Structure formats: C-alpha cells, structure tokens
C-alpha cells in the first residue's frame, strides 16, 4: 500500500471515529464537519484510484 493510500485510510478511520463520538455527544457541528471530511477523503481516494469502503 502506498503512502497516499495509507494516509487516506488512516484519516478515514480517524474521521469515522470522530463522527461516532460527535453523534454520541450530540455535537451537530462536528458531525457535519466530519461528514465533509469523509466525503473529501473519498473523492481524493477515487481520483487517485484508491479503493476505500464506505462505512457508517
């Protein structure tokens, strides 16, 4: 796995973890920020041919 792929996977893991925490605490602003981050990471991955799963 290349460096970009590794970085995207790690950032996605972090973003999903933060999204879950934001949901748990009711932080709607952070929920939206994390969703935007996740969408951006998926777009970046797709534009570089990196396959990443969509998680909840």
């Amino acid at each position: 796995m290349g460096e970009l792929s590794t970085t995207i996977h790690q950032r996605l893991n972090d973003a999903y973890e933060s999204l879950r925490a934001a949901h748990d605490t009711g932080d709607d602003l952070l929920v939206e920020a994390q969703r935007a981050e996740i969408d951006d990471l998926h777009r970046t991955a797709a534009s570089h041919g990196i396959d990443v799963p969509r998680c909840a």
Side-chain angles (χ1 to χ4, degrees):
M1 189 180 304
E3 186 175 338
L4 179 60
S5 179
T6 299
T7 300
I8 288 173
H9 280 89
Q10 183 59 54
R11 287 186 58 192
L12 277 168
N13 286 337
D14 294 346
Y16 280 120
E17 184 177 316
S18 181
L19 178 61
R20 284 188 290 276
H23 273 294
D24 291 348
T25 61
D27 188 338
D28 294 335
L29 184 59
L30 184 55
V31 166
E32 291 306 313
Q34 290 309 109
R35 284 182 179 157
E37 174 76 5
I38 289 165
D39 288 343
D40 287 345
L41 288 166
H42 277 278
R43 277 192 294 276
T44 300
S47 71
H48 290 279
I50 299 168
D51 185 34
V52 291
R54 282 248 177 218
C55 299

